């Protein structure tokens, strides 16, 4: 289900997702219609713009938060024109399963966008690298002593990448990534574990107070 007030972008998303094998069950121009549509027939995943009519401020975000509360089985991927940290932290304050926050520019990289959407629809997390970077820069938590490599791994974890994906991005072996992940959990005083939830908890723990 797509919610985007720009007719051109909404139409473009419809065609892009249909070509990628998604079934677009509804495509609406505002948050009010989005909530009505989700209530009538909850989709697997919603793609929503942060800013929509009537005020073009945070209607899409507020709708996303309502969806997360009322229909927890529906995954949500929000799109934003700019990095809006308050909106990102509002979303991340709750459950992180089936959640994504990407800049609209990422849609141009069709393969990466589709991969991120599939990950979110499957219960994973996808955070834009630029959002992660700015949240890290503004974090007011005391530095837990992460090494530069551990910070790089943590940022890639925040984007929702698996150990294999992190290893590919950093051009290292998966064993090295696993070692860094273990070190991150230890320094953040989080128990080690293989679940995506624990990985996102590590990111949120570090960013707490941003």
């Amino acid at each position: 289900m797509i919610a985007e007030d720009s007719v051109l972008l909404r139409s473009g998303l419809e065609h892009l997702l249909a070509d990628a094998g998604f079934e677009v069950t509804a495509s609406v121009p505002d948050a009010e219609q989005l909530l009505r549509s989700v209530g009538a027939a909850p989709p697997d995943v919603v793609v929503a713009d942060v800013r929509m009519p009537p005020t073009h401020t945070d209607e899409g975000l507020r709708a996303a938060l309502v969806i997360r509360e009322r229909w927890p089985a529906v995954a949500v991927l929000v799109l934003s024109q700019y990095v809006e940290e308050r909106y990102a932290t509002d979303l991340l304050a709750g459950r992180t399963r089936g959640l994504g926050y990407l800049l609209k520019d990422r849609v141009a990289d069709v393969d990466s966008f589709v991969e991120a959407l599939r990950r979110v629809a499957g219960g994973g997390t996808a955070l834009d690298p630029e959002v992660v970077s700015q949240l890290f820069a503004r974090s007011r938590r005391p530095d837990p002593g992460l090494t530069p490599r551990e910070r790089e791994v943590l940022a890639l974890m925040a984007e929702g990448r698996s150990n294999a994906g992190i290893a590919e991005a950093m051009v290292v072996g998966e064993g090295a990534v696993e070692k860094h992940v273990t070190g991150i959990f230890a320094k953040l005083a989080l128990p080690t574990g293989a679940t995506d939830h624990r990985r996102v908890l590590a990111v949120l723990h570090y960013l707490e107070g941003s």
Side-chain angles (χ1 to χ4, degrees):
M1 194 170 289
I2 299 170
E4 165 61 55
D5 63 297
S6 167
V7 176
L8 288 177
L9 182 53
R10 189 167 69 248
S11 177
L13 283 171
E14 290 174 19
H15 288 93
L16 184 158
L17 295 179
D19 288 345
F22 290 89
E23 178 187 355
V24 179
T25 60
S27 184
V28 300
D30 59 57
E32 183 177 343
Q33 291 187 59
L34 171 62
L35 293 177
R36 284 204 303 267
S37 298
V38 173
D44 294 322
V45 59
V46 165
V47 179
D49 189 1
V50 167
R51 299 186 174 195
M52 287 191 288
T55 69
H56 293 279
T57 55
D58 62 354
E59 283 84 359
L61 171 77
R62 288 190 281 111
L65 294 173
V66 169
I67 291 169
R68 302 286 288 169
E69 180 180 352
R70 294 184 185 174
W71 301 281
V74 177
V76 176
L77 174 62
V78 297
L79 300 176
S80 179
Q81 190 69 42
Y82 311 103
V83 178
E84 302 180 86
E85 296 166 25
R86 178 172 62 84
Y87 297 156
T89 52
D90 283 348
L91 274 177
L92 293 171
R95 294 177 303 104
T96 54
R97 180 174 175 78
L99 179 64
Y101 185 110
L102 297 179
L103 296 182
K104 286 186 176 180
D105 288 348
R106 306 299 174 191
V107 178
D109 185 345
V110 174
D111 290 342
S112 294
F113 174 68
V114 169
E115 192 276 331
L117 183 57
R118 291 192 188 283
R119 187 163 67 243
V120 170
T125 305
L127 299 183
D128 195 281
E130 190 61 30
V131 174
V132 173
S133 176
Q134 292 203 23
L135 289 178
F136 275 11
R138 290 182 176 272
S139 175
R140 293 193 292 271
R141 284 189 61 85
D143 190 339
L146 298 181
T147 67
R149 290 296 256 181
E150 287 171 342
R151 288 176 63 86
E152 186 177 356
V153 168
L154 187 59
L156 292 169
M157 284 170 59
E159 294 173 26
R161 302 202 191 200
S162 64
N163 282 4
I166 293 172
E168 181 179 359
M170 296 178 64
V171 195
V172 298
E174 285 191 50
V177 173
E178 291 174 3
K179 182 178 178 181
H180 289 314
V181 170
T182 299
I184 290 167
F185 283 137
K187 289 179 180 179
L188 296 180
L190 291 173
T192 57
T195 67
D196 289 337
H197 181 60
R198 289 187 187 277
R199 295 164 72 87
V200 177
L201 276 179
V203 177
L204 297 181
H205 183 78
Y206 183 67
L207 296 177
E208 185 181 6
S210 61

